[in-house]
Amino acid sequence: MNWASNTVVTSVAKFIMEQGYGCDVTVVPSDTIPAVTSVAENGEPDIVTELWLNSAGEAYLKLEEQGKVERLGKVLDPGGVEGWWIPTYLAEKHPELTTIEGVMANPELVDNRFNNCPSGWGCRVVSDNLIRALDLEASGIEVFNHGSGETLASSMASAVQDEEPWFGYYWGPTVPLGKFDMTRVELGDYDSSIHMRNQNPDTANPGVSEFPAAPVLTSVTTNFKEREPEVAEMLSKLTFKSETMSALLAWMDKNNASAEEAAVYFLNNNSDEWSGWLNESARERLAKVMEQ
């Protein structure tokens, strides 16, 4: 997936599989919805790292019911946070903007714009359905659909650095939510049935529901688990504390580092965390590599 935390998770998993278990690993660029669709149609990829269950929709749950995929464990502990946000300085100046009703009644205070998720992301489907259910655009708010996670992040950074209005979707752990003081806009109560409907593209009856706390998983095809049981066992244990991931992302940002460099940095500095993920022989092989 093309967001920062996932590139780190994928790079760490790839390094461990190659250096610890002797695997040949191919990384396939994707996003939540295309990845789930590909598994349904082609049985690939074998592994989906950092699957946000709240955004995967009924299509993923059907794959589990059909026995095609299996969730191995939480890759982020305790999980992720999703929502619609404004900068805290804006919330302090205009406290009415802390609810969606207040935002829609005062669109000029958020610069008449909602910064939406990129296409292909699960959050785009949910946000699009919320936009329809709220009739957000009728309130005078333009929906700006970002082309990538990078432009979504840079729009927030640019606004906050100049103390300008900003209103849009974001999630954590991420660099922007770690660096900037943001306030979540209250969408209302969480309703599981409404949120489930909102996870499906162009649902006939979208509703308004808050984003729940987000389980973030590693999921694999059942064929892969049967074929590579030792690797699947390792992936079931591969879990990052949310604060560990936030610190890694901050290190990447500060050092202008790649995901591969962040993976090596993590493995070099957190052996107490990752050593428990591996079996004994893989742990010994990886330790020798890290000593070089």
Side-chain angles (χ1 to χ4, degrees):
M1 318 296 187
N2 63 356
W3 56 86
S5 60
N6 186 265
T7 63
V8 173
V9 170
T10 301
S11 295
V12 170
K14 180 177 185 288
F15 193 95
I16 290 174
M17 284 188 282
E18 289 179 336
Q19 303 299 328
Y21 290 83
C23 300
D24 293 321
V25 182
T26 301
V27 175
V28 183
S30 190
D31 283 313
T32 305
I33 304 304
V36 172
T37 302
S38 178
V39 172
E41 295 178 353
N42 307 311
E44 297 177 340
D46 294 306
I47 306 161
V48 179
T49 55
E50 202 178 325
L51 179 83
W52 287 61
L53 191 60
N54 290 350
S55 299
E58 292 178 356
Y60 174 76
L61 297 179
K62 286 180 180 177
L63 290 175
E64 285 193 330
E65 291 171 3
Q66 294 166 359
K68 293 183 177 180
V69 298
E70 184 174 331
R71 62 183 81 178
L72 293 183
K74 285 186 176 182
V75 74
L76 292 179
D77 179 24
V81 59
E82 296 181 271
W84 289 5
W85 307 79
I86 58 173
T88 297
Y89 56 77
L90 194 62
E92 291 173 346
K93 187 175 181 180
H94 300 287
E96 64 271 24
L97 298 180
T98 57
T99 68
I100 190 60
E101 293 82 6
V103 170
M104 292 175 67
N106 302 276
E108 71 284 354
L109 296 181
V110 294
D111 204 23
N112 297 89
R113 172 174 284 199
F114 174 77
N115 291 277
N116 202 6
C117 299
S119 178
W121 290 23
C123 59
R124 172 66 175 273
V125 174
V126 176
S127 288
D128 279 352
N129 283 322
L130 284 168
I131 288 163
R132 286 199 295 135
L134 290 162
D135 201 8
L136 189 69
E137 291 174 293
S139 71
I141 295 176
E142 172 201 9
V143 175
F144 185 85
N145 297 316
H146 282 273
S148 69
E150 288 77 13
T151 65
L152 179 61
S154 63
S155 72
M156 181 193 291
S158 177
V160 172
Q161 286 163 6
D162 294 333
E163 290 207 2
E164 296 290 337
W166 190 90
F167 169 49
Y169 171 90
Y170 223 77
W171 80 102
T174 50
V175 171
L177 286 192
K179 289 176 66 175
F180 307 130
D181 189 1
M182 304 294 289
T183 294
R184 192 163 161 177
V185 175
E186 295 177 7
L187 300 179
D189 295 331
Y190 166 62
D191 185 304
S192 59
S193 61
I194 291 175
H195 185 70
M196 180 63 72
R197 291 203 306 271
N198 286 351
Q199 292 175 39
N200 301 296
D202 301 314
T203 186
N205 53 342
V208 180
S209 167
E210 187 57 88
F211 288 85
V216 186
L217 315 171
T218 298
S219 181
V220 299
T221 64
T222 49
N223 286 339
F224 174 79
K225 186 179 179 183
E226 292 168 2
R227 190 172 76 246
E228 300 285 353
E230 291 186 352
V231 177
E233 183 180 3
M234 179 274 292
L235 291 170
S236 72
K237 298 174 182 177
L238 190 151
T239 302
F240 294 83
K241 293 288 185 184
S242 294
E243 58 265 29
T244 300
M245 181 56 70
S246 293
L248 264 176
L249 297 178
W251 181 87
M252 279 181 70
D253 183 65
K254 180 180 179 180
N255 294 279
N256 195 28
S258 67
E260 290 77 13
E261 290 168 332
V264 173
Y265 175 81
F266 168 79
L267 291 166
N268 273 323
N269 292 280
N270 297 273
S271 60
D272 56 329
E273 291 190 38
W274 60 258
S275 60
W277 302 345
L278 284 65
N279 62 30
E280 185 175 352
S281 57
R283 186 162 52 246
E284 290 175 355
R285 282 193 291 269
L286 192 62
K288 290 178 181 178
V289 171
M290 301 310 296
E291 289 172 359
Q292 295 175 3

